[in-house]
Amino acid sequence: KAGVTQTPRYLIKTRGQQVTLSCSPISGHRSVSWYQQTPGQGLQFLFEYFSETQRNKGNFPGRFSGRQFSNSRSEMNVSTLELGDSALYLCASSFSTNTEAFFGQGTRLTVV
Amino acid sequence: AQKITQTQPGMFVQEKEAVTLDCTYDTSDPSYGLFWYKQPSSGEMIFLIYQGSYDQQNATEGRYSLNFQKARKSANLVISASQLGDSAMYFCAMREGPYNAGNMLTFGGGTRLMVKP
């Protein structure tokens, strides 16, 4: 069974631009969560989608948004990029609550 | 206050020996889950083991076991018979709340484990 797939793996963007990251969860999983990982702040929760609805949201500015489609695939968008948005963005999928979350390999975003 | 604390930024262990990675947590919710993940240099987070707050027995998965001490709020990961491939960052994480609360995980700062040949 295929794992969690994140695309693209690497991105370089310029300050002020916007970016969209994609995550395809494991087949049958309805929950998709996004995390930002930086050396300074560690792993921080961005948001979770379950059956196309945002169920939880972390403490990030409104420039960070996401959505989930009917096939459970999820996208994350960051508008007006800042240098501090450079990070590894990880997506995790879960079948339900109280089950383990499986992560993708991440998208490494560099903002210059 | 930190919800998940990993006090060992880095550790060395000799190949084939056992190692314990510490994790303490802070929550007032009676329903929670504790997870351990491994992150190699490639970046992917690999699920290792899960312990629910109501589980009576310590979780085990192959060479991994979780030493769950609820009263002390600790959930240490024990890796038996270390292998060179175990060298990686290890993260402890917690999910709080009842069944329908969602899957938001709070992570600790991680421990870098280095296995010596």
Side-chain angles (χ1 to χ4, degrees):
Chain A
K1 167 158 128 169
V4 179
T5 303
Q6 290 187 247
T7 56
R9 291 289 312 279
Y10 303 93
L11 266 179
I12 300 176
K13 289 286 188 178
T14 304
R15 267 185 305 176
Q17 287 186 313
Q18 75 164 13
V19 67
T20 299
L21 311 183
S22 178
C23 173
S24 293
I26 293 170
S27 178
H29 285 194
R30 294 184 296 166
S31 167
V32 175
S33 301
W34 290 88
Y35 294 83
Q36 181 196 65
Q37 186 176 25
T38 60
Q41 299 298 318
L43 278 150
Q44 293 185 287
F45 172 79
L46 280 155
F47 29 66
E48 179 201 4
Y49 287 87
F50 185 83
S51 295
E52 302 179 65
T53 301
Q54 188 179 84
R55 184 156 68 171
N56 285 296
K57 188 177 190 309
N59 189 24
F60 277 82
R63 300 185 297 107
F64 292 81
S65 63
R67 59 178 175 169
Q68 186 179 34
F69 302 95
S70 58
N71 62 358
S72 292
R73 189 177 72 85
S74 178
E75 287 182 348
M76 188 191 108
N77 185 76
V78 188
S79 62
T80 320
L81 284 165
E82 300 177 359
L83 295 179
D85 297 333
S86 296
L88 179 66
Y89 289 89
L90 291 160
C91 164
S93 84
S94 303
F95 175 73
S96 180
T97 310
N98 274 338
T99 58
E100 59 268 26
F102 295 93
F103 283 79
Q105 289 188 295
T107 295
R108 188 166 294 281
L109 172 65
T110 302
V111 182
V112 298
Chain B
Q2 292 277 1
K3 282 187 174 282
I4 297 284
T5 303
Q6 295 180 253
T7 57
Q8 306 151 314
M11 288 187 70
F12 284 96
V13 65
Q14 198 68 40
E15 191 179 9
K16 298 179 186 171
E17 291 186 349
V19 63
T20 298
L21 306 184
D22 294 341
C23 173
T24 57
Y25 60 92
D26 182 28
T27 181
S28 57
D29 202 308
S31 177
Y32 54 91
L34 297 158
F35 301 78
W36 276 93
Y37 286 89
K38 171 185 177 181
Q39 187 178 43
S41 55
S42 61
E44 182 180 4
M45 298 284 281
I46 301 168
F47 167 76
L48 296 177
I49 199 166
Y50 166 80
Q51 180 86 40
S53 60
Y54 296 116
D55 293 343
Q56 295 296 312
Q57 295 194 327
N58 287 345
T60 60
E61 290 283 351
R63 293 187 300 113
Y64 305 106
S65 60
L66 200 152
N67 183 2
F68 182 46
Q69 297 188 44
K70 197 168 181 176
R72 296 181 59 189
K73 294 190 174 179
S74 75
N76 299 338
L77 177 70
V78 181
I79 306 175
S80 63
S82 297
Q83 302 172 355
L84 296 177
D86 293 335
S87 294
M89 282 292 289
Y90 288 80
F91 291 95
C92 179
M94 177 171 64
R95 190 201 63 81
E96 297 173 272
Y99 178 81
N100 60 353
N103 285 314
M104 184 180 87
L105 295 177
T106 303
F107 285 86
T111 295
R112 181 171 296 282
L113 178 67
M114 291 153 282
V115 181
K116 297 188 287 186

